[in-house]
Amino acid sequence: MGAGEFLVLGLLAILVFGPEQLPKAAQQVGRVLRQLRRMADSAKSDIQEGLGPEFKDFDVQDLNPKRFVQKHFWEAEDDEEENRRPVSQLNGRRPPFDDEAT
């Protein structure tokens, strides 16, 4: 989000809540976000605890399909082909490349 978007949201919040109610509303939003974060952390630890010690390094982020593909396919390719192709400046990873297509 840019500065312009924050400015628009701030003006909208002042119009909706008014200058005297805005601090209370912001406090309530902060409280709710903290509560949600605690609940998510608790659920994550319950899942890791329920899976047992063999899954101690399990990360909930690994359930994201994009992360799964990156972890299991790109990292293996990077290890095998690191010496053959230069690494691009794209977050330290080489761009997708299909040997059979070219």
Side-chain angles (χ1 to χ4, degrees), residues 62-77:
D62 293 338
L63 297 176
N64 182 344
K66 183 178 179 181
R67 172 76 176 124
F68 179 83
V69 169
Q70 285 176 341
K71 183 176 180 180
H72 293 285
F73 293 107
W74 276 27
E75 288 178 3
E77 275 184 21

Side-chain angles (χ1 to χ4, degrees), residues 2 9 11 15 17 36 38 43 59 61 64 66 76 90 97:
L9 287 175
L11 288 173
L15 288 174
F17 295 108
L36 287 173
R38 265 189 247 125
D59 187 15
Q61 294 288 332
N64 182 344
K66 183 178 179 181
L90 181 65
F97 185 79

Side-chain angles (χ1 to χ4, degrees), residues 7-75:
L7 182 64
V8 169
L9 287 175
L11 288 173
L12 186 63
I14 289 174
L15 288 174
V16 170
F17 295 108
E20 44 297 313
Q21 295 296 323
L22 190 59
K24 290 179 184 177
Q27 207 173 36
Q28 287 177 341
V29 167
R31 200 173 302 131
V32 166
L33 289 175
R34 263 182 272 138
Q35 219 171 13
L36 287 173
R37 185 172 294 142
R38 265 189 247 125
M39 287 171 42
D41 289 341
S42 174
K44 180 180 172 182
S45 66
D46 287 347
I47 288 172
Q48 287 177 336
E49 194 175 296
L51 289 174
E54 58 271 0
F55 291 100
K56 66 180 178 188
D57 61 344
F58 172 73
D59 187 15
V60 177
Q61 294 288 332
D62 293 338
L63 297 176
N64 182 344
K66 183 178 179 181
R67 172 76 176 124
F68 179 83
V69 169
Q70 285 176 341
K71 183 176 180 180
H72 293 285
F73 293 107
W74 276 27
E75 288 178 3

